[in-house]
Amino acid sequence: MVLFLTARDQTNQFRKFSCQLDKLEVAFEFLSDIVAKGSTLLQVYIVDEGKRTELPLAIFDGEPFMAAMQELEKEWQTLLSEPAMSTSLHETLLIPLIQHRARQFETKIANYQKLISRLEQLLERTQKNFSAGPIKSRVISQYESMISRNQVWLIKAQISYQLILSRLSQLSA
């Protein structure tokens, strides 16, 4: 598998890069690390067995992938090693937990929306009140970056929330 990427670094220079990788998880970790160090991904794709696959840029937010993937693998290994519960008992225990998780996501979504709204207000105020110059450009760029990052996190939370609601309706039926 070959990873190709185009990024803009902190000095606004465009960088093109490609490398051979054995695992997709390693590629994800590598891309997230690039974002964490301040570069902006502009295009990312993988060519594997002659097929090109574009990767969505929004998922690379600077947060590590490997730890989450390893934790998920541990959870699956634990689940696979435990004896299965009866379905009714399992559902009885699971429904309150899922309802609690749904409430947590509702709160998380509301907080992201408030934060984004506040950042947008600050951005607008900066655009109106600051005089033109490098400081204004940096502040605007920082606010735009923070808004973008929080919008990605909001979308992830909304998707997770919808999945939780879907699972809850399956269990309740």
Side-chain angles (χ1 to χ4, degrees):
M1 161 178 57
V2 181
L3 171 70
F4 295 87
L5 69 99
T6 304
R8 186 176 61 231
D9 66 17
Q10 296 107 330
T11 62
N12 277 334
Q13 294 204 2
F14 291 91
R15 306 285 183 185
K16 288 190 176 207
F17 180 77
S18 65
C19 62
Q20 180 88 24
L21 296 170
D22 293 332
K23 292 184 174 186
L24 193 57
E25 296 88 353
V26 174
F28 287 178
E29 185 76 13
F30 175 71
L31 293 167
S32 194
D33 191 46
I34 288 172
V35 172
K37 290 180 179 170
S39 293
T40 302
L41 297 174
L42 303 173
Q43 181 182 37
V44 177
Y45 62 93
I46 291 175
V47 176
D48 192 26
E49 296 180 7
K51 294 182 183 177
R52 177 179 167 147
T53 304
E54 294 283 337
L55 298 178
L57 303 177
I59 65 169
F60 304 108
D61 57 8
E63 296 295 317
F65 269 86
M66 289 300 250
M69 299 284 275
Q70 289 168 345
E71 185 64 33
L72 185 59
E73 183 179 355
K74 270 196 243 177
E75 287 178 25
W76 276 108
Q77 293 297 334
T78 302
L79 287 173
L80 292 173
S81 67
E82 293 176 0
M85 272 193 231
S86 74
T87 304
S88 62
L89 176 60
H90 182 72
E91 289 175 0
T92 303
L93 297 173
L94 195 56
I95 288 173
L97 293 174
I98 293 175
Q99 289 170 332
H100 177 71
R101 190 74 174 135
R103 287 189 299 275
Q104 286 177 324
F105 270 101
E106 288 169 354
T107 303
K108 191 176 199 176
I109 289 168
N111 288 338
Y112 280 134
Q113 289 170 333
K114 286 178 191 174
L115 180 57
I116 290 167
S117 176
R118 181 68 178 131
L119 289 169
E120 287 171 341
Q121 290 171 357
L122 291 169
L123 173 63
E124 185 178 322
R125 200 177 302 157
T126 301
Q127 289 169 330
K128 286 180 182 176
N129 297 333
F130 270 61
S131 55
I135 293 174
K136 179 179 181 177
S137 296
R138 273 194 306 238
V139 171
I140 287 173
S141 177
Q142 185 66 27
Y143 281 141
E144 288 171 340
S145 174
M146 291 169 68
I147 290 168
S148 177
R149 187 172 40 251
N150 281 281
Q151 286 172 332
V152 168
W153 293 338
L154 172 62
I155 291 168
K156 287 179 182 181
Q158 289 170 329
I159 290 169
S160 295
Y161 179 66
Q162 290 304 315
L163 290 171
I164 287 169
L165 291 182
S166 174
R167 180 66 176 138
L168 190 57
S169 80
Q170 288 173 352
L171 290 173
S172 298

